[in-house]
Amino acid sequence: MEYAKSSVLVSGGAGFIGVNFVRGLLGRREIPRIVVLDALTYAGNGASLDGIDDDRLHFVHGDIRDQALVEKLLREHEAGSIVHFAAESHVDRSISGPDAFVSTNVDGTHAMLKAARSVWLEGTGVDHRFHHVSTDEVYGSLGPGDAPFTEGHQYQPNSPYSASKAASDHLVRAYHHTFGLQVTTTNCSNNYGPYQFPEKLIPLMIVKILGGQPLPIYGDGMQVRDWLFVDDHCRAIEACLERGVAGELYNIGGSNERPNIEIVQKLCEMIDERFGASESLANRFPECPAARGETSMSLLTHVKDRPGHDRRYAIDFRRAEAELGYHPQETFESGFSRTVDWYLENEAWWRGVMDGSYRRWIDSNYASR
Ligand code: NAD
Ligand code: TYD
Protein backbone atom coordinates (compact mmCIF):
# COMPACT_ATOMS: atom_id res chain seq x y z
CA MET A 1 0.00 0.00 0.00
CA GLU A 2 1.07 3.61 -0.45
CA TYR A 3 1.12 4.52 3.20
CA ALA A 4 2.04 8.16 2.66
CA LYS A 5 -1.27 8.92 0.90
CA SER A 6 -3.51 8.38 3.94
CA SER A 7 -3.48 9.35 7.60
CA VAL A 8 -1.18 7.46 9.95
CA LEU A 9 -2.13 6.45 13.49
CA VAL A 10 0.96 6.36 15.72
CA SER A 11 0.49 4.67 19.09
CA GLY A 12 2.99 5.70 21.76
CA GLY A 13 3.90 8.78 19.71
CA ALA A 14 4.75 10.76 22.86
CA GLY A 15 7.41 8.25 23.94
CA PHE A 16 11.08 8.26 23.01
CA ILE A 17 11.12 6.56 19.60
CA GLY A 18 7.55 7.61 18.76
CA VAL A 19 8.35 11.32 19.16
CA ASN A 20 11.41 11.04 16.95
CA PHE A 21 9.37 9.11 14.38
CA VAL A 22 6.53 11.64 14.35
CA ARG A 23 8.94 14.57 14.00
CA GLY A 24 10.56 12.84 11.01
CA LEU A 25 7.25 11.86 9.42
CA LEU A 26 5.99 15.44 9.49
CA GLY A 27 8.72 16.17 6.94
CA ARG A 28 6.69 14.10 4.47
CA ARG A 29 4.37 16.76 3.08
CA GLU A 30 2.14 14.24 1.31
CA ILE A 31 0.91 12.66 4.55
CA PRO A 32 -2.47 14.25 5.25
CA ARG A 33 -2.61 13.65 9.00
CA ILE A 34 -0.67 12.04 11.83
CA VAL A 35 -2.81 10.96 14.76
CA VAL A 36 -0.83 10.27 17.93
CA LEU A 37 -2.57 8.02 20.48
CA ASP A 38 -0.75 7.99 23.80
CA ALA A 39 -1.77 7.32 27.39
CA LEU A 40 1.01 9.62 28.68
CA THR A 41 2.38 7.17 31.21
CA TYR A 42 5.52 8.22 33.10
CA ALA A 43 7.43 7.50 29.84
CA GLY A 44 5.22 9.57 27.56
CA ASN A 45 5.53 13.32 27.47
CA GLY A 46 3.31 15.60 25.45
CA ALA A 47 6.00 18.19 26.05
CA SER A 48 8.25 16.21 23.69
CA LEU A 49 5.84 17.18 20.90
CA ASP A 50 5.94 20.85 21.91
CA GLY A 51 7.13 23.35 19.36
CA ILE A 52 5.66 21.39 16.44
CA ASP A 53 3.63 23.90 14.48
CA ASP A 54 1.77 21.68 12.05
CA ASP A 55 -2.01 21.31 11.75
CA ARG A 56 -1.58 17.76 10.49
CA LEU A 57 -0.56 16.57 13.97
CA HIS A 58 -3.55 15.46 16.03
CA PHE A 59 -2.84 14.34 19.61
CA VAL A 60 -5.25 12.03 21.44
CA HIS A 61 -4.75 11.26 25.12
CA GLY A 62 -6.02 7.68 25.33
CA ASP A 63 -5.23 4.04 25.90
CA ILE A 64 -4.41 1.43 23.25
CA ARG A 65 -6.41 -1.09 25.30
CA ASP A 66 -9.54 0.93 24.44
CA GLN A 67 -10.52 -0.90 21.24
CA ALA A 68 -13.58 1.30 20.63
CA LEU A 69 -11.40 4.43 20.77
CA VAL A 70 -8.88 2.97 18.30
CA GLU A 71 -11.71 2.01 15.91
CA LYS A 72 -13.20 5.49 16.21
CA LEU A 73 -9.85 7.12 15.42
CA LEU A 74 -9.21 4.86 12.41
CA ARG A 75 -12.66 5.65 10.98
CA GLU A 76 -12.76 9.36 11.84
CA HIS A 77 -9.33 10.07 10.30
CA GLU A 78 -9.58 7.45 7.53
CA ALA A 79 -6.21 6.16 8.65
CA GLY A 80 -4.67 3.59 6.32
CA SER A 81 -1.73 2.66 8.50
CA ILE A 82 -0.85 2.13 12.13
CA VAL A 83 2.65 2.37 13.51
CA HIS A 84 2.44 0.68 16.88
CA PHE A 85 5.09 1.86 19.37
CA ALA A 86 3.04 2.03 22.58
CA ALA A 87 4.41 -0.33 25.20
CA GLU A 88 5.90 -0.65 28.62
CA SER A 89 9.54 -0.71 27.60
CA HIS A 90 11.93 -0.88 30.57
CA VAL A 91 13.33 -4.28 31.59
CA ASP A 92 14.01 -3.26 35.21
CA ARG A 93 10.38 -2.16 35.66
CA SER A 94 9.21 -5.46 34.16
CA ILE A 95 11.14 -7.26 36.90
CA SER A 96 9.67 -5.19 39.73
CA GLY A 97 6.14 -5.12 38.22
CA PRO A 98 5.39 -7.47 35.31
CA ASP A 99 1.57 -7.03 35.30
CA ALA A 100 1.61 -3.72 33.43
CA PHE A 101 3.75 -5.31 30.74
CA VAL A 102 1.30 -8.11 30.06
CA SER A 103 -1.60 -5.70 30.14
CA THR A 104 -0.17 -3.04 27.81
CA ASN A 105 2.09 -5.07 25.57
CA VAL A 106 -0.09 -8.15 25.13
CA ASP A 107 -3.68 -7.01 25.76
CA GLY A 108 -2.98 -3.57 24.34
CA THR A 109 -1.50 -4.92 21.11
CA HIS A 110 -4.39 -7.33 20.85
CA ALA A 111 -6.91 -4.49 21.22
CA MET A 112 -5.09 -2.60 18.43
CA LEU A 113 -5.18 -5.68 16.18
CA LYS A 114 -8.88 -6.25 16.85
CA ALA A 115 -9.66 -2.62 16.05
CA ALA A 116 -7.62 -2.77 12.83
CA ARG A 117 -9.31 -6.00 11.76
CA SER A 118 -12.75 -4.62 12.47
CA VAL A 119 -12.21 -1.34 10.57
CA TRP A 120 -9.98 -2.46 7.73
CA LEU A 121 -11.14 -5.98 6.95
CA GLU A 122 -14.90 -5.81 7.39
CA GLY A 123 -17.03 -5.58 4.21
CA THR A 124 -14.98 -5.21 1.03
CA GLY A 125 -11.87 -4.22 3.04
CA VAL A 126 -9.47 -1.33 2.54
CA ASP A 127 -5.81 -1.13 1.66
CA HIS A 128 -3.91 -0.89 4.94
CA ARG A 129 -0.76 -1.65 6.92
CA PHE A 130 -0.26 -2.47 10.60
CA HIS A 131 3.38 -1.96 11.53
CA HIS A 132 4.47 -3.43 14.84
CA VAL A 133 7.62 -2.07 16.52
CA SER A 134 9.38 -4.85 18.39
CA THR A 135 12.76 -5.64 19.87
CA ASP A 136 15.76 -7.94 19.43
CA GLU A 137 15.27 -8.97 23.07
CA VAL A 138 12.62 -11.52 21.99
CA TYR A 139 15.48 -13.71 20.71
CA GLY A 140 17.10 -14.07 24.14
CA SER A 141 20.79 -13.84 24.89
CA LEU A 142 23.91 -14.69 22.83
CA GLY A 143 27.28 -16.05 23.91
CA PRO A 144 30.45 -14.13 22.94
CA GLY A 145 31.12 -16.21 19.81
CA ASP A 146 27.53 -16.76 18.65
CA ALA A 147 26.35 -15.49 15.28
CA PRO A 148 24.05 -12.42 15.49
CA PHE A 149 20.26 -12.90 15.55
CA THR A 150 18.64 -13.51 12.17
CA GLU A 151 14.88 -13.34 11.58
CA GLY A 152 14.82 -17.15 11.80
CA HIS A 153 16.36 -17.26 15.26
CA GLN A 154 14.21 -19.02 17.84
CA TYR A 155 12.21 -16.77 20.17
CA GLN A 156 13.71 -17.23 23.66
CA PRO A 157 12.63 -14.20 25.73
CA ASN A 158 14.15 -14.03 29.21
CA SER A 159 12.58 -11.02 30.94
CA PRO A 160 8.90 -10.23 31.50
CA TYR A 161 9.45 -7.30 29.10
CA SER A 162 10.81 -9.43 26.27
CA ALA A 163 8.26 -12.18 26.96
CA SER A 164 5.41 -9.69 26.64
CA LYS A 165 6.89 -8.29 23.42
CA ALA A 166 7.32 -11.83 22.06
CA ALA A 167 3.67 -12.57 22.84
CA SER A 168 2.62 -9.41 21.00
CA ASP A 169 4.78 -10.38 18.00
CA HIS A 170 3.02 -13.75 17.87
CA LEU A 171 -0.41 -12.11 17.97
CA VAL A 172 0.59 -9.80 15.12
CA ARG A 173 1.77 -12.80 13.10
CA ALA A 174 -1.44 -14.72 13.86
CA TYR A 175 -3.67 -11.84 12.71
CA HIS A 176 -1.86 -11.94 9.39
CA HIS A 177 -2.03 -15.70 8.90
CA THR A 178 -5.56 -16.18 10.20
CA PHE A 179 -7.37 -13.01 9.21
CA GLY A 180 -5.23 -11.56 6.42
CA LEU A 181 -4.28 -8.36 8.27
CA GLN A 182 -1.41 -6.70 6.38
CA VAL A 183 1.25 -6.57 9.07
CA THR A 184 4.99 -5.99 9.23
CA THR A 185 7.24 -6.22 12.30
CA THR A 186 10.67 -4.76 12.94
CA ASN A 187 12.85 -6.23 15.70
CA CYS A 188 15.34 -3.54 16.61
CA SER A 189 18.37 -3.33 18.87
CA ASN A 190 18.91 -0.76 21.67
CA ASN A 191 18.13 2.80 20.60
CA TYR A 192 19.55 6.03 21.98
CA GLY A 193 19.13 9.72 21.16
CA PRO A 194 17.02 12.78 22.03
CA TYR A 195 13.86 12.51 24.18
CA GLN A 196 14.79 9.20 25.84
CA PHE A 197 13.51 9.00 29.41
CA PRO A 198 16.49 8.99 31.83
CA GLU A 199 15.92 5.49 33.15
CA LYS A 200 17.60 3.75 30.17
CA LEU A 201 21.38 3.39 30.28
CA ILE A 202 22.58 6.30 28.13
CA PRO A 203 20.38 9.21 29.29
CA LEU A 204 20.50 7.96 32.88
CA MET A 205 24.29 8.04 32.85
CA ILE A 206 24.39 11.49 31.24
CA VAL A 207 22.19 13.07 33.90
CA LYS A 208 24.01 11.25 36.71
CA ILE A 209 27.42 12.42 35.43
CA LEU A 210 26.12 16.00 35.27
CA GLY A 211 24.78 15.68 38.83
CA GLY A 212 27.97 14.08 40.16
CA GLN A 213 26.08 10.94 41.23
CA PRO A 214 27.41 7.35 41.26
CA LEU A 215 27.03 5.58 37.89
CA PRO A 216 25.48 2.16 38.60
CA ILE A 217 27.11 -0.50 36.42
CA TYR A 218 25.20 -3.76 36.74
CA GLY A 219 27.55 -6.69 37.50
CA ASP A 220 30.84 -6.60 35.58
CA GLY A 221 29.51 -4.18 32.94
CA MET A 222 30.58 -6.53 30.15
CA GLN A 223 27.05 -7.09 28.83
CA VAL A 224 26.94 -6.22 25.15
CA ARG A 225 24.23 -4.32 23.27
CA ASP A 226 24.11 -3.20 19.62
CA TRP A 227 23.48 0.56 19.90
CA LEU A 228 21.48 2.37 17.21
CA PHE A 229 20.82 6.10 16.91
CA VAL A 230 17.05 6.59 17.01
CA ASP A 231 16.80 8.36 13.61
CA ASP A 232 18.24 5.27 11.95
CA HIS A 233 15.52 3.14 13.53
CA CYS A 234 12.86 5.62 12.37
CA ARG A 235 14.23 5.52 8.82
CA ALA A 236 14.08 1.72 8.92
CA ILE A 237 10.42 1.80 9.97
CA GLU A 238 9.56 4.19 7.14
CA ALA A 239 11.41 1.95 4.68
CA CYS A 240 9.46 -1.01 6.02
CA LEU A 241 6.16 0.81 5.56
CA GLU A 242 7.13 1.56 1.99
CA ARG A 243 8.83 -1.63 0.90
CA GLY A 244 8.25 -4.27 3.59
CA VAL A 245 6.39 -7.42 2.62
CA ALA A 246 3.24 -8.11 4.65
CA GLY A 247 3.70 -10.94 7.11
CA GLU A 248 7.48 -10.47 7.35
CA LEU A 249 9.84 -9.65 10.19
CA TYR A 250 12.87 -7.40 9.65
CA ASN A 251 15.78 -7.16 12.07
CA ILE A 252 17.20 -3.65 12.50
CA GLY A 253 20.59 -3.01 14.06
CA GLY A 254 23.53 -0.62 14.08
CA SER A 255 26.65 -2.80 13.66
CA ASN A 256 27.71 -1.17 16.87
CA GLU A 257 28.23 -3.81 19.55
CA ARG A 258 29.75 -2.42 22.75
CA PRO A 259 29.95 -3.55 26.38
CA ASN A 260 28.08 -1.29 28.80
CA ILE A 261 31.25 -0.24 30.60
CA GLU A 262 32.68 1.14 27.35
CA ILE A 263 29.47 3.11 26.72
CA VAL A 264 29.63 4.72 30.14
CA GLN A 265 33.36 5.48 29.85
CA LYS A 266 32.73 7.12 26.48
CA LEU A 267 30.00 9.31 27.95
CA CYS A 268 32.34 10.35 30.79
CA GLU A 269 35.06 11.28 28.30
CA MET A 270 32.70 13.27 26.08
CA ILE A 271 31.24 15.21 28.99
CA ASP A 272 34.71 15.94 30.44
CA GLU A 273 35.79 17.26 27.02
CA ARG A 274 32.79 19.54 26.80
CA PHE A 275 33.47 20.97 30.27
CA GLY A 276 37.04 21.61 29.15
CA ALA A 277 35.78 23.57 26.16
CA SER A 278 33.05 25.62 27.85
CA GLU A 279 33.34 27.39 31.22
CA SER A 280 29.60 27.91 31.53
CA LEU A 281 29.04 24.17 32.00
CA ALA A 282 30.86 24.24 35.35
CA ASN A 283 28.47 26.98 36.52
CA ARG A 284 25.41 25.07 35.32
CA PHE A 285 26.51 21.68 36.70
CA PRO A 286 28.79 22.38 39.70
CA GLU A 287 28.40 18.83 41.09
CA CYS A 288 29.92 17.23 37.99
CA PRO A 289 33.54 16.12 38.67
CA ALA A 290 34.58 17.85 35.43
CA ALA A 291 33.50 21.18 36.98
CA ARG A 292 36.47 20.74 39.39
CA GLY A 293 38.77 19.54 36.61
CA GLU A 294 38.42 15.92 37.75
CA THR A 295 37.46 12.94 35.63
CA SER A 296 33.81 11.79 35.61
CA MET A 297 35.13 8.23 35.44
CA SER A 298 35.56 8.49 39.25
CA LEU A 299 31.77 8.06 39.49
CA LEU A 300 31.76 4.50 38.06
CA THR A 301 30.25 2.12 40.62
CA HIS A 302 29.67 -1.60 40.16
CA VAL A 303 26.34 -2.66 41.69
CA LYS A 304 24.41 -5.94 42.00
CA ASP A 305 23.57 -7.44 38.62
CA ARG A 306 20.05 -7.39 37.15
CA PRO A 307 18.31 -10.77 37.69
CA GLY A 308 18.30 -12.85 34.49
CA HIS A 309 20.44 -10.22 32.78
CA ASP A 310 20.88 -10.99 29.03
CA ARG A 311 24.60 -11.08 28.28
CA ARG A 312 24.71 -10.11 24.63
CA TYR A 313 22.42 -8.96 21.81
CA ALA A 314 23.67 -8.68 18.23
CA ILE A 315 21.65 -8.21 15.08
CA ASP A 316 22.06 -9.54 11.57
CA PHE A 317 20.18 -6.97 9.50
CA ARG A 318 21.09 -8.20 6.04
CA ARG A 319 17.44 -8.81 5.13
CA ALA A 320 16.55 -5.19 5.90
CA GLU A 321 19.55 -4.02 3.86
CA ALA A 322 18.66 -6.17 0.87
CA GLU A 323 14.88 -5.77 0.87
CA LEU A 324 14.27 -2.36 2.44
CA GLY A 325 17.46 -0.54 1.41
CA TYR A 326 18.12 0.12 5.11
CA HIS A 327 21.57 1.05 6.32
CA PRO A 328 22.45 2.89 9.55
CA GLN A 329 23.82 6.37 8.83
CA GLU A 330 25.02 7.48 12.24
CA THR A 331 28.34 6.26 13.69
CA PHE A 332 29.07 5.58 17.35
CA GLU A 333 31.00 8.90 17.55
CA SER A 334 28.47 11.05 15.72
CA GLY A 335 25.41 9.54 17.41
CA PHE A 336 26.90 9.86 20.89
CA SER A 337 28.03 13.41 20.23
CA ARG A 338 24.56 14.44 19.07
CA THR A 339 22.98 12.77 22.08
CA VAL A 340 25.30 14.30 24.71
CA ASP A 341 24.83 17.74 23.13
CA TRP A 342 21.04 17.32 23.06
CA TYR A 343 20.92 16.53 26.79
CA LEU A 344 23.22 19.47 27.55
CA GLU A 345 20.98 21.79 25.53
CA ASN A 346 17.68 20.41 26.83
CA GLU A 347 18.16 20.41 30.58
CA ALA A 348 14.63 21.77 31.12
CA TRP A 349 13.14 18.78 29.27
CA TRP A 350 14.92 16.09 31.28
CA ARG A 351 14.50 17.83 34.62
CA GLY A 352 10.80 18.27 33.79
CA VAL A 353 10.16 14.65 32.83
CA MET A 354 12.12 13.38 35.81
CA ASP A 355 10.48 15.48 38.49
CA GLY A 356 7.02 15.10 36.99
CA SER A 357 6.41 18.81 36.44
CA TYR A 358 5.78 18.29 32.71
CA ARG A 359 3.26 15.60 33.57
CA ARG A 360 1.22 17.99 35.69
CA TRP A 361 1.41 20.56 32.90
CA ILE A 362 0.35 17.95 30.37
CA ASP A 363 -2.63 16.84 32.44
CA SER A 364 -4.04 20.34 32.28
CA ASN A 365 -3.02 21.20 28.71
CA TYR A 366 -3.15 18.07 26.62
CA ALA A 367 -6.09 16.09 27.98
CA SER A 368 -8.61 17.80 25.72
CA ARG A 369 -6.56 17.97 22.51
P1 NAD B 1 8.91 4.55 25.75
O1 NAD B 1 8.72 3.82 27.04
O2 NAD B 1 9.81 5.73 25.72
O3 NAD B 1 7.50 5.07 25.22
C1 NAD B 1 6.34 4.27 25.27
C2 NAD B 1 5.16 5.17 24.96
O4 NAD B 1 3.96 4.36 24.99
C3 NAD B 1 4.95 6.29 25.98
O5 NAD B 1 4.68 7.50 25.31
C4 NAD B 1 3.75 5.82 26.80
O6 NAD B 1 2.99 6.90 27.33
C5 NAD B 1 2.97 5.05 25.74
N1 NAD B 1 2.08 4.06 26.34
C6 NAD B 1 2.39 3.13 27.27
N2 NAD B 1 1.28 2.42 27.59
C7 NAD B 1 0.28 2.89 26.80
C8 NAD B 1 -1.10 2.56 26.64
N3 NAD B 1 -1.67 1.58 27.37
N4 NAD B 1 -1.83 3.23 25.74
C9 NAD B 1 -1.26 4.22 24.99
N5 NAD B 1 0.02 4.60 25.11
C10 NAD B 1 0.78 3.94 26.01
O7 NAD B 1 9.33 3.46 24.70
P2 NAD B 1 10.32 3.55 23.46
O8 NAD B 1 11.69 3.34 23.93
O9 NAD B 1 9.97 4.76 22.65
O10 NAD B 1 9.90 2.24 22.66
C11 NAD B 1 8.84 2.28 21.70
C12 NAD B 1 8.64 0.89 21.15
O11 NAD B 1 9.84 0.43 20.56
C13 NAD B 1 8.25 -0.15 22.21
O12 NAD B 1 7.28 -1.00 21.67
C14 NAD B 1 9.55 -0.90 22.47
O13 NAD B 1 9.29 -2.23 22.85
C15 NAD B 1 10.20 -0.83 21.10
N6 NAD B 1 11.68 -0.87 21.10
C16 NAD B 1 12.39 0.00 21.88
C17 NAD B 1 13.77 -0.03 21.84
C18 NAD B 1 14.60 0.93 22.66
O14 NAD B 1 15.83 0.79 22.71
N7 NAD B 1 14.01 1.94 23.30
C19 NAD B 1 14.43 -0.94 21.02
C20 NAD B 1 13.66 -1.81 20.22
C21 NAD B 1 12.29 -1.75 20.28
P1 TYD C 1 18.69 -0.54 29.31
O1 TYD C 1 18.98 0.82 28.78
O2 TYD C 1 17.77 -0.68 30.48
O3 TYD C 1 18.21 -1.41 28.07
P2 TYD C 1 17.98 -3.02 27.93
O4 TYD C 1 17.97 -3.62 29.29
O5 TYD C 1 16.64 -3.09 27.28
O6 TYD C 1 19.10 -3.51 27.06
O7 TYD C 1 20.08 -1.22 29.73
C1 TYD C 1 21.12 -1.36 28.78
C2 TYD C 1 22.22 -2.15 29.45
O8 TYD C 1 22.76 -1.37 30.50
C3 TYD C 1 21.73 -3.43 30.10
O9 TYD C 1 22.73 -4.42 29.93
C4 TYD C 1 21.59 -3.07 31.56
C5 TYD C 1 22.67 -2.03 31.76
N1 TYD C 1 22.38 -1.00 32.79
C6 TYD C 1 23.32 -0.76 33.80
O10 TYD C 1 24.39 -1.39 33.88
N2 TYD C 1 23.03 0.21 34.71
C7 TYD C 1 21.86 0.91 34.68
O11 TYD C 1 21.63 1.77 35.57
C8 TYD C 1 20.90 0.64 33.64
C9 TYD C 1 19.61 1.39 33.55
C10 TYD C 1 21.23 -0.32 32.70
Side-chain angles (χ1 to χ4, degrees), residues 79-245:
S81 46
I82 290 176
V83 184
H84 178 39
F85 291 99
E88 289 293 336
S89 69
H90 189 41
V91 174
D92 291 327
R93 283 180 191 255
S94 84
I95 295 168
S96 55
D99 288 4
F101 286 72
V102 175
S103 179
T104 293
N105 300 358
V106 185
D107 294 339
T109 300
H110 193 212
M112 297 284 293
L113 289 164
K114 286 191 287 181
R117 179 186 172 207
S118 155
V119 173
W120 287 338
L121 295 180
E122 71 182 13
T124 52
V126 291
D127 202 13
H128 65 269
R129 172 64 65 83
F130 187 111
H131 182 77
H132 178 54
V133 182
S134 192
T135 165
D136 59 354
E137 302 191 27
V138 297
Y139 297 123
S141 183
L142 293 170
D146 292 343
F149 301 128
T150 62
E151 289 81 357
H153 198 281
Q154 191 186 349
Y155 269 41
Q156 291 176 317
N158 290 322
S159 71
Y161 164 64
S162 55
S164 65
K165 289 299 288 187
S168 68
D169 292 10
H170 292 322
L171 282 168
V172 170
R173 175 189 160 90
Y175 267 65
H176 174 71
H177 283 269
T178 306
F179 304 119
L181 198 69
Q182 301 297 289
V183 306
T184 40
T185 298
T186 41
N187 294 84
C188 188
S189 59
N190 287 58
N191 284 213
Y192 67 95
Y195 299 107
Q196 188 168 32
F197 190 84
E199 65 177 353
K200 304 278 168 62
L201 182 71
I202 289 176
L204 181 76
M205 294 298 161
I206 294 174
V207 306
K208 282 189 181 293
I209 295 168
L210 294 175
Q213 295 165 340
L215 308 177
I217 309 293
Y218 297 165
D220 63 3
M222 291 308 289
Q223 303 85 3
V224 172
R225 302 291 184 262
D226 174 8
W227 294 96
L228 183 70
F229 190 71
V230 63
D231 287 356
D232 279 322
H233 186 188
C234 294
R235 277 189 279 271
I237 293 169
E238 276 205 59
C240 192
L241 285 162
E242 274 164 6
R243 296 184 282 283
V245 174

